[in-house]
Amino acid sequence: MKEIQFDTIREAVAKLCIDANCLLGDDVVQAFKDGLAVEESPAGKDILNQLLDNEQIARKEMMPICQDTGWAVVWVKMGSGVRVQGGELYDAIQQGVAKGYTDGYLRKSIVEDPLRRKNTGNNTPAIIYADIVPGDGLEITVQPKGGGSENMSEVKMLSAADGAEGIKKFVVDRVARSKANPCPPVIIGVGIGGTFEKCAMLAKHSLLREIGSVHPDPFYAAMEKELLERVNKLGIGPQGLGGRVTALAVFIEAFPCHIATMPCAVNINCHAARHQSITL
Amino acid sequence: MAKKITAPFTAETVKDLRAGDSVLISGTIYTGRDLAHKRLTDSLKAGEKLPFDLDGAVIYYVGPSPAKPGKVIGSAGPTTSYRMDAYSPLLMEKGLRGMIGKGNRTQPVLDAMKQHGAVYFAAVGGAAALIARTIKAAKVIAYDDLGPEAVRELKVEDFPAIVINDMYGGDLYEQGVAKYKKD
């Protein structure tokens, strides 16, 4: 049994919230630079340069890359050999999010009820997805997820008859209809299979992948490549002003499926793919 | 070459702007998003006084992150504009001349812009720390209970934006995509 203290978890989560919101991953910065090399639109190039400048300012000042510091989506892999001492795991995470969003001057964007909409004041609750895995590590990932890109996301219950082309058409069409709204250049998370809600989770989880990584299954690696090319033909470009760089990456996660269904979920992420992890 | 313009806008300022113009805005602008827009238009319909003068006003759709000690404002990039579409025509009817946000507007908003002489700009979404540097003062003037959604009066200096929709029907989003789309 490995004991991990409640306070340790709380402090770690607080730091992850701040780091994830202020420090953009190297892979995203590289993707902006790669985009600059291929972008033909002058406005598009200007925007990519502004995003690179913004990343530097945010890092230097430890201020949010984007004012929408989003939902705190928290992924946990808890080893079966781990025991939390001094309190409950979920409480430690919630307190950590409240602390991080307060101490880090992050925006409080969560309301307690979807219709009555009173702000909770500390960006809780976090949304926690926890898996119990072998071992004695506690891996925590905080993935801030903003509202604008969420609003452009969608689940569709396709059938096997729709095939791969049905999936591809849905993904490309979803990006086309989104236009400038989700802050292109976007990162596109695609879930295929599972139940209605599992499919959406796959899509969100896929957004944690490093830009430039290749899907381990060559079948889906090829589909990711084709989708990226098709999306970048839409001409939407950075901030939707027209250009070649509409998306930086497409990530697919597939899962077993019911014989009568083929669900597909598209979770759009803006260019600020934010996530930080720690293993305690 | 970016045009330097001053907010609040005169009618002449709006007449001179065309879709695709890069601008640097200086002067006073007001923040407002979903809930503030509802309150503002409810007040207008009830004949109540608004927290600021709408005549020539420019509204920036933003919910900034909190200011760190010694700073005027937190990160302050635009939020997506279509959510304010239901409210914008009435505000333009009563004098609003500029809107800054991101994402396309629906036809009733575009029609109201033509009818009343107003312009819609995009600021760069996600360049929120960069944009914050152009905000020199920020003060909550209404709806403090809304936290990030409160109405703030901002003093800006060379705030960068690009004209998406002018008052003549020009649309930069349409023009841009048409130019770079490949079949």
Side-chain angles (χ1 to χ4, degrees), chain A residues 39 43 68 115 217 223 256:
Chain A
E39 183 51 76
D68 186 354
L115 285 164
D217 181 339
M223 193 182 287

Side-chain angles (χ1 to χ4, degrees), chain B residues 128-147:
Chain B
L130 183 63
I131 289 171
R133 288 189 163 183
T134 66
I135 301 171
K136 304 303 178 186
K139 183 171 70 168
V140 172
I141 59 168
Y143 318 144
D144 196 21
D145 59 303
L146 297 182

Side-chain angles (χ1 to χ4, degrees), chain A residues 48-60:
Chain A
L48 290 168
N49 276 314
Q50 286 190 46
L51 297 181
L52 283 165
D53 285 347
N54 187 72
E55 188 271 332
Q56 294 275 293
I57 295 168
R59 181 175 290 273
K60 177 167 174 282

Side-chain angles (χ1 to χ4, degrees), chain B residues 86-104:
Chain B
Y87 308 108
S88 300
L90 177 57
L91 293 173
M92 283 186 269
E93 191 193 317
K94 300 296 183 188
L96 180 72
R97 286 211 181 98
M99 298 164 285
I100 310 168
K102 65 172 173 91
N104 59 286

Side-chain angles (χ1 to χ4, degrees), chain A residues 62 64 67 107 181 233 244, chain B residues 63 68 75 77 102 180 182:
Chain A
M62 283 309 279
Q67 76 287 344
R107 198 180 75 179
N181 291 344
K233 284 186 180 161
R244 298 266 171 260
Chain B
K68 289 183 102 168
S75 298
K102 65 172 173 91
Y180 290 96
K182 275 187 188 172

Side-chain angles (χ1 to χ4, degrees), chain B residues 112-170:
Chain B
M113 287 173 58
K114 272 193 225 166
Q115 188 184 355
H116 301 292
V119 67
Y120 170 59
F121 306 89
V124 176
L130 183 63
I131 289 171
R133 288 189 163 183
T134 66
I135 301 171
K136 304 303 178 186
K139 183 171 70 168
V140 172
I141 59 168
Y143 318 144
D144 196 21
D145 59 303
L146 297 182
E149 297 210 54
V151 171
R152 288 170 168 81
E153 181 187 85
L154 304 182
K155 304 287 185 195
V156 296
E157 213 174 275
D158 292 343
F159 178 107
I162 193 161
V163 178
I164 300 293
N165 298 108
D166 55 42
M167 59 180 277
Y168 308 104

